[in-house]
Amino acid sequence: MALRRGFFATRADLVTGLLAFEADARVSYVQAGRFDSKTPLRAASALELQIGLAPTGDMARENRYLVLTAGADPRPRSVPQRSGETAFAMDQSLNPDSVVCCFGGIHTDGVLISGEISTLGESDASRAMFQSLSRILVTGFERVGSYWVGSEARRKLDAGWRLTCSVSSPVDYDLPQSPAN
């Protein structure tokens, strides 16, 4: 069964939780997606990545990262192309002990794109990492609807910012303003 935790956060909202998670678990972050090379972009800390910014304005198109234990070798999956060449997919299919994280963040002034932590992995390691990361990352966040909202993201919501999955979605699908819990 897939696990997912959606959130709205700025970089400032994410830093404390990510530092706490990384102090608790030695991990690395590997960019997920389809690439021409087998060599993945890898970072020892999420703070080395462009977190808190959402340049595409669409959570489905923002960068995603596999979170792996630090010593794990990321395994790309070969994807034959019609041209005869081979592309390489970095995903959970050959990395079942991983978790996938999309950090979301500010798209433009007035628009904050959602992020999420998820896993399709059925392994105990994947589920344990998901539980740890999703619990630690949103510590201090507030629950609004089905999302967790960081304190700075909450201030932006209260100031009239759109908190949305996609800038092209109708405003009716945005996270609604609601009183603090």
Side-chain angles (χ1 to χ4, degrees):
M1 174 171 79
L3 300 173
R4 179 191 176 280
R5 175 159 292 171
F7 58 87
F8 285 98
T10 65
R11 180 180 178 87
D13 290 328
L14 294 170
V15 168
T16 301
L18 288 169
L19 289 174
F21 172 69
E22 292 171 5
D24 191 46
R26 291 197 30 191
V27 295
S28 65
Y29 300 82
V30 176
Q31 189 170 8
R34 193 175 73 206
F35 307 99
D36 293 334
S37 168
K38 282 185 179 182
T39 307
L41 169 73
R42 190 173 193 158
S45 170
L47 301 183
E48 297 172 25
L49 307 171
Q50 188 179 16
I51 63 169
L53 296 175
T56 71
D58 186 339
M59 196 268 291
R61 294 180 24 225
E62 296 300 337
N63 284 335
R64 288 181 159 27
Y65 299 93
L66 293 180
V67 184
L68 302 161
T69 56
D73 237 355
R75 297 179 51 208
R77 178 172 49 89
S78 296
V79 181
Q81 303 296 293
R82 289 183 189 169
S83 65
E85 296 185 12
T86 300
F88 301 94
M90 187 60 66
D91 56 28
Q92 284 195 289
S93 63
L94 295 181
N95 298 286
D97 293 340
S98 66
V99 169
V100 178
C101 196
C102 172
F103 295 104
I106 295 172
H107 172 60
T108 57
D109 193 40
V111 179
L112 186 67
I113 303 298
S114 63
E116 73 174 11
I117 304 161
S118 62
T119 186
L120 296 174
E122 296 289 330
S123 74
D124 290 342
S126 175
R127 291 181 172 285
M129 186 183 299
F130 172 85
Q131 293 299 333
S132 176
L133 178 56
S134 64
R135 178 184 46 80
I136 292 171
L137 188 66
V138 301
T139 297
F141 283 35
E142 164 189 357
R143 184 85 184 238
V144 178
S146 61
Y147 286 89
W148 292 89
V149 180
S151 59
E152 190 173 62
R154 177 61 199 215
R155 286 191 294 277
K156 292 187 179 312
L157 177 64
D158 292 343
W161 279 46
R162 289 187 67 191
L163 272 62
T164 184
C165 293
S166 176
V167 71
S168 63
S169 291
V171 177
D172 294 343
Y173 294 113
D174 291 359
L175 189 70
Q177 290 187 1
S178 64
N181 290 350

